[in-house]
Amino acid sequence: MNKLAFPILAVLADGKFHSGETLAQRFGVTRATVYNAIQSVETLGITVFSVRGRGYRLPKAVTLLDVDAIVQACGEYAPWFHVQVLAQVDSTNRYLMQESARGIAHATCVAAHIQTAGRGRRGRTWVSQLGGSVTFSLLWRFQCGAAGLSGLSLVVGLALVRALHSFGLMDVQLKWPNDLLVLHQGQWHKLGGILIELQGDMEGPSAAVIGIGLNLEIAPEMRLNIDQPVLGLNALSAQALDPNILLGRCLSQLAIHLNQFAEQGFAYFQREWTTYHAFHQQSVNLLLANGQTIPGQVLGVAEEGSLLVETATGQQRFNAGEISVRSAA
């Protein structure tokens, strides 16, 4: 991105017109330089209206992420975190994985206004837009090895549900192992997802990079690039959510849940997680990595977080890396 592009976006975030001359004076550059910066913004899929005689503006006002506001929203857990906000990055998970290998501090959170190559589970792309989503990654170090982190994605999902419930969004539920859903107009819609990548030995100290994407609003043109029903959290709320407060509350709940998980594992959360599982005791189709589909009925989750399903051949246990779950309804 042009180095002037994001400073200009920050000015345009109020949703009002700003003339090229005013922007040029503000940043001490020529109007041609401003124009080039705007062109750079548009290559990222961000719409900027240009009207002769009035200047430039975004389609609507956008609340940008702000480190101080995020930290304040963390409340008593603010001292736990090291928060960074990037203007643009290919993937917050990839960035934090690289920084983790260099020894970056525990509980570092990296959020991005624009993520150009966000990643979802099983190699999928996470589609995001400026002001339309909250995308961030959190580095959390554990004393146990990677083998002891079974069920981590489920605990992260539960933390996010509790954060969203604090905004009155009580209909948000979970889909094993890492999606947030809501039943809307008789159909399940995805609100957000989790992607966890691990570093370290199976038995020794390990680190998890926890990537989270939450939809705030879904532009109509974006739906064309998404292969499942999706919904933004603002569609469920009486007023638009402030992304800084949302991120802060998510981090505070993650602090509580991850600390408890490190001490007691997933078994501590097993009962409560089940109460929020959208497909508990429901008929589902299990999609295996090899393309095979297995129908069955969800019985629950085991103490280590695997999914228990009654199939035609009896009860089976599935791990998060093996399958995707689809409602059979």
Side-chain angles (χ1 to χ4, degrees):
M1 183 192 292
N2 182 299
K3 66 179 182 180
L4 192 59
F6 194 79
I8 289 177
L9 275 179
V11 175
L12 300 182
D14 62 6
K16 300 177 181 179
F17 275 107
H18 296 267
S19 71
E21 182 178 358
T22 300
L23 292 170
Q25 291 176 350
R26 179 169 186 151
F27 295 106
V29 297
T30 65
R31 292 179 62 178
T33 300
V34 170
Y35 173 81
N36 289 334
I38 296 292
Q39 293 293 105
S40 170
V41 166
E42 292 180 331
T43 63
L44 296 173
I46 300 170
T47 299
V48 180
F49 293 141
S50 176
V51 178
R52 185 179 296 276
R54 302 193 67 184
Y56 305 100
R57 75 170 178 87
L58 296 178
K60 60 185 295 185
V62 175
T63 300
L64 298 178
L65 294 173
D66 176 78
V67 170
D68 291 338
I70 295 167
V71 171
Q72 183 177 0
C74 290
E76 63 182 293
Y77 295 97
W80 288 40
F81 294 101
H82 308 274
V83 178
Q84 301 177 22
V85 174
L86 305 179
Q88 176 193 351
V89 70
D90 56 352
S91 160
T92 55
N93 256 38
R94 185 178 293 114
Y95 174 87
L96 200 48
M97 287 285 284
Q98 294 170 348
E99 293 302 301
S100 172
R102 298 187 181 108
I104 198 170
H106 166 74
T108 293
C109 171
V110 175
H113 290 290
I114 302 167
Q115 193 172 212
T116 58
R119 291 179 292 162
R121 185 167 169 260
R122 296 167 72 103
R124 295 185 180 92
T125 299
W126 177 265
V127 180
S128 61
Q129 64 185 105
L130 180 69
S133 62
V134 174
T135 55
F136 65 99
S137 296
L138 173 66
L139 172 67
W140 204 264
R141 300 189 186 278
F142 295 91
Q143 290 305 307
C144 68
L149 300 182
S150 181
L152 176 58
S153 66
L154 280 68
V155 173
V156 171
L158 184 58
L160 298 177
V161 164
R162 285 182 171 174
L164 293 172
H165 283 185
S166 75
F167 290 94
L169 306 181
M170 308 305 294
D171 294 332
V172 178
Q173 296 189 60
L174 295 163
K175 188 185 85 169
W176 183 93
N178 56 1
D179 286 346
L180 283 81
L181 303 179
V182 67
L183 189 62
H184 179 68
Q185 297 180 345
Q187 189 175 28
W188 289 108
H189 288 67
K190 184 172 178 176
L191 298 167
I194 301 159
L195 174 67
I196 296 179
E197 298 179 271
L198 303 178
Q199 291 179 331
D201 299 328
M202 291 299 290
E203 303 299 332
S206 59
V209 172
I210 303 166
I212 295 169
L214 298 172
N215 302 323
L216 292 178
E217 296 182 358
I218 308 292
E221 61 272 17
M222 288 189 65
R223 296 182 187 275
L224 301 175
N225 300 317
I226 303 174
D227 63 356
Q228 60 185 303
V230 293
L231 199 66
L233 292 167
N234 287 343
L236 308 177
S237 178
Q239 60 183 15
L241 301 182
D242 184 316
N244 295 295
I245 297 175
L246 174 59
L247 179 47
R249 290 191 189 179
C250 287
L251 290 177
S252 64
Q253 287 295 330
L254 285 166
I256 296 169
H257 286 69
L258 294 175
N259 190 51
Q260 194 75 59
F261 175 77
E263 294 179 356
Q264 297 184 272
F266 175 71
Y268 179 83
F269 302 95
Q270 179 185 12
R271 183 185 298 272
E272 183 178 7
W273 190 93
T274 300
T275 65
Y276 294 120
H277 190 202
F279 297 158
H280 181 56
Q281 297 184 338
Q282 300 296 310
S283 296
V284 297
N285 289 316
L286 308 175
L287 310 181
L288 276 62
N290 63 6
Q292 182 183 3
T293 299
I294 301 177
Q297 183 178 36
V298 174
L299 301 177
V301 288
E303 289 189 351
E304 84 290 347
S306 58
L307 187 68
L308 304 176
V309 182
E310 186 69 35
T311 72
T313 58
Q315 181 175 314
Q316 295 190 49
R317 185 179 296 230
F318 296 90
N319 294 317
E322 297 176 345
I323 66 167
S324 292
V325 180
R326 297 288 185 270
S327 173

